[in-house]
Amino acid sequence: MNMRHEEGIDVSVLDGILDGVLEDLAQRQSEVPLRELQARAADIPPTMDPLPKFREPGVSIIAEVKRKSPSKGALADITDPAGLASEYALGGASAISVLTEQRRFGGSLADLAAVRKAVDIPVLRKDFIVTPYQLWEARVWGADLALLMVVSLPGGQLRDLLGLATEIGLTALVEAHTEDELSRAVDAGAELIGVNARDLTTLNVDRTVLKRLVPQIPEGRVRVAESGVSGPADVADYHQWGADVVLVGEALVRSGDPRSSVGEFIRQATTR
């Protein structure tokens, strides 16, 4: 993290999040060593591949279990993440995203495990993953996908973690926000590429980032739009601009009717 400051990049928001993530990670590692995690993984059922569904015509929705965020604060009092995930699935979601970062997002690995038991569609662990240990955690606690953010993985870390994810059966959602980050994601061989409208160094949102970057994603890769969705029209825009998949969190947890909302997001995006 200090390396980024030396490069003159202002990543104060991201650094603060990562500092907390690493502190919490150290505690978990002291309680469950890596070798124990790896042993547990041997007994876990095979993961589900989300890519065939994501490649189907129309738009796929990754619906998110999200209690709060650094930019918006508290979003929803989610006492039953499994129940919420089930409603998403019944509404037509192609996958469920579960925030597992505790300090800024109010999530946990227990949420991930609960959701995994409740649905029969792929589940994404969304967190600030910067170590192999976190990928093994994702596998053991039931994830089929794991988020890798290019901005937090300098040097060869991205390629190394992407390789490990593939090796242990996880599909990596590799997230970029800039042209340089996208180039690194493509060069690393990512099949599932997310374009985040939110700049994690400032938390500012620019929805047109997807429109600018999509043409640079090679044919055959699956394109995911992230952040900046307040309603069905935003999903429709993202799909029109080239997104195969849209990840939606805040707009769904605040909707009051998550099942119907997922269906409406899909309907408007495919009928515009």
Side-chain angles (χ1 to χ4, degrees), residues 2 21 33 43 47 61 66 96 105 125 136 148 161 174 222 245 272:
N2 289 336
V21 165
D43 299 322
T47 54
I61 296 293
K66 183 177 186 179
I96 307 296
F105 293 89
R125 180 189 184 184
W136 283 103
L148 297 178
L161 290 179
V174 181
V222 177
V245 184
R272 175 183 284 190

Side-chain angles (χ1 to χ4, degrees), residues 1-163:
M1 280 159 283
N2 289 336
M3 181 185 70
R4 296 190 192 93
H5 289 303
E6 290 169 4
E7 291 173 349
I9 302 173
D10 178 10
V11 289
S12 56
V13 175
L14 180 60
D15 274 354
I17 294 172
L18 286 172
D19 286 344
V21 165
L22 292 172
E23 286 180 18
D24 294 340
L25 174 61
Q27 177 62 36
R28 296 197 304 276
Q29 285 180 297
S30 70
E31 296 170 354
V32 182
L34 176 59
R35 286 187 178 181
E36 184 176 335
L37 265 187
Q38 292 170 327
R40 291 182 188 179
D43 299 322
I44 301 296
T47 54
M48 288 183 276
D49 183 359
L51 295 183
K53 178 64 176 178
F54 288 170
R55 287 193 165 106
E56 290 180 2
V59 65
S60 292
I61 296 293
I62 301 176
E64 192 158 78
V65 177
K66 183 177 186 179
R67 292 186 175 88
K68 61 181 182 178
S69 74
S71 60
K72 298 289 183 68
L75 299 174
D77 181 20
I78 301 172
T79 58
D80 182 11
L84 176 59
S86 296
E87 287 295 295
Y88 287 156
L90 290 169
S94 297
I96 307 296
S97 171
V98 182
L99 262 302
T100 59
E101 196 280 333
Q102 180 178 356
R103 300 188 184 202
R104 305 292 185 99
F105 293 89
S108 68
L109 287 166
D111 287 347
L112 179 62
V115 169
R116 169 70 290 152
K117 291 178 182 178
V119 299
D120 59 2
I121 57 176
V123 177
L124 164 70
R125 180 189 184 184
K126 191 175 181 186
D127 208 320
F128 297 80
I129 294 176
V130 291
T131 70
Y133 186 92
Q134 291 163 290
L135 288 177
W136 283 103
E137 280 184 321
R139 184 72 181 88
V140 167
W141 289 84
D144 304 285
L145 305 95
L147 179 68
L148 297 178
M149 294 180 292
V150 177
V151 68
S152 61
L153 297 170
Q157 279 186 278
L158 173 61
R159 191 177 293 273
D160 290 347
L161 290 179
L162 181 57

Side-chain angles (χ1 to χ4, degrees), residues 165-232:
T166 302
E167 179 183 329
I168 65 177
L170 294 169
T171 299
L173 169 56
V174 181
E175 175 186 296
H177 176 72
T178 67
E179 288 187 21
D180 178 66
E181 290 171 13
L182 177 57
S183 178
R184 289 186 58 211
V186 170
D187 291 346
E191 288 293 316
L192 184 62
I193 298 177
V195 175
N196 196 343
R198 189 181 305 281
D199 182 345
L200 292 177
T201 68
T202 63
L203 301 183
N204 293 331
V205 173
D206 177 1
R207 295 181 61 250
T208 64
V209 169
L210 178 83
K211 195 174 186 178
R212 295 198 302 270
L213 295 188
V214 154
Q216 300 174 43
I217 299 177
E219 195 71 26
R221 312 287 178 101
V222 177
R223 302 157 294 188
V224 183
E226 303 174 56
S227 299
V229 174
S230 59

Side-chain angles (χ1 to χ4, degrees), residues 235-258:
V235 174
D237 283 343
Y238 279 150
H239 184 50
Q240 188 172 31
W241 295 343
D244 305 298
V245 184
V246 181
L247 191 154
V248 188
E250 178 186 344
L252 287 176
V253 298
R254 286 182 160 174
S255 70
D257 188 348

